[in-house]
Amino acid sequence: MTSTDDIIIAFDFYGTLVNTNSVIDQLSEEFGRNAAEISSRWRRYQLEYTWRLNSMGAFIDLNPLQFSIIFNGIFKDRHESFSVVTKQSLIHALKELDIPIRNTSIDSCMARYECLTPFPGVGALIAELKRTSSFIPLIFSNADRDMMKLGTLNEHEQYQGFEVFREIVCVDATRYFKPHPDTYHHLAECTGREKSREGMSKMWLVSANPFDIVGAINVGMETVWVDRDGGGWKDQLILGKAGTPSVVVNGLEEVVQAIRKYTGISQE
């Protein structure tokens, strides 16, 4: 828990800090020339599955005998991990492309997914965060706690410096996925913030995923959208200025200075 005077900066992990398309190398090794298309569909269905589960009020229950959907609180002691959603969405993508399912290939791709390559700019971001005491950086992820641990991340060479993130907040305790409001309120609870709009406004979300940005806006958080393609904000779910990010940057290396400028916090 942090002081309520501290500014929380919560960084989305998949698609923001790490590149989900970096799994293409493993997909290519396992499935050949379809790798890029598999990767695209895999990510699409991974997100679609989380949104569908949120909308249905359902959770995935997976056991050795069956795969079922549990509705509206029945067996609420069961909640399957984001890793299962990720695995099932990969299988969906392969089936859609009529690619034979091999368990060894699935396992290899899932192992690669656990050490995705950070985006360019992560190193510069980490250096900026290490130079400031004004902000409390966290990782805020759809992944479950077993899938995302700082100790596990630090075992991988490409995640050197990730210890700058004080904590990893995972949404699995809420039994929902982003952008459900409960997931952002869980972030507030984990950092000692009030779940009122005033309390939420003292936290920032940094994400390259528009659905995540809109989810955070909906509960009153400040937001930084990472617009790597430079195409500009196009999401129209919340109309007008109220539905746009607080700040737009082109890369992670710009995040700290952009928040400083917006909040008026001077350079340290």
Side-chain angles (χ1 to χ4, degrees), residues 62-207:
L62 187 66
N63 62 47
L65 300 178
Q66 65 181 356
F67 179 80
S68 60
I69 300 295
I70 306 302
F71 288 92
N72 295 326
I74 302 173
F75 305 129
K76 271 199 169 180
D77 58 323
R78 299 297 298 274
H79 170 66
E80 200 52 68
S81 68
F82 184 65
S83 61
V84 170
V85 173
T86 301
K87 181 177 181 178
Q88 295 307 124
S89 56
L90 170 58
I91 293 171
H92 184 159
L94 294 172
K95 283 181 174 290
E96 195 169 62
L97 293 167
D98 295 320
I99 296 172
I101 309 298
R102 299 189 303 271
N103 288 337
T104 54
S105 295
I106 298 294
D107 291 345
S108 295
C109 292
M110 289 297 295
R112 179 68 176 92
Y113 208 88
E114 293 182 4
C115 54
L116 296 169
T117 305
F119 275 106
V122 167
L125 167 68
I126 287 172
E128 284 277 0
L129 290 172
K130 285 181 175 178
R131 286 195 291 266
T132 182
S133 59
S134 303
F135 306 130
I136 305 297
L138 311 172
I139 292 173
F140 176 47
S141 178
N142 262 341
D144 62 283
R145 283 162 287 185
D146 291 334
M147 194 175 178
M148 288 282 294
K149 294 178 180 176
L150 278 174
T152 303
L153 288 181
N154 291 333
E155 291 174 1
H156 298 286
E157 185 177 351
Q158 67 263 42
Y159 298 139
Q160 268 193 339
F162 271 57
E163 65 272 9
V164 75
F165 299 105
R166 308 286 185 86
E167 187 179 352
I168 297 177
V169 176
C170 297
V171 305
D172 56 339
T174 71
R175 310 179 68 78
Y176 290 107
F177 297 104
K178 295 191 284 183
H180 194 283
D182 284 5
T183 62
Y184 304 96
H185 290 150
H186 177 62
L187 176 65
E189 291 174 351
C190 289
T191 56
R193 297 302 188 273
E194 296 291 333
K195 291 189 285 186
S196 64
R197 293 191 71 83
E198 181 181 357
M200 298 299 291
S201 71
K202 297 176 182 177
M203 299 190 298
W204 285 75
L205 175 76
V206 180
S207 181

Side-chain angles (χ1 to χ4, degrees), residues 221-233:
M221 292 179 68
E222 301 287 2
T223 55
V224 178
W225 180 48
V226 184
D227 179 18
R228 290 193 173 93
D229 296 333
W233 183 256

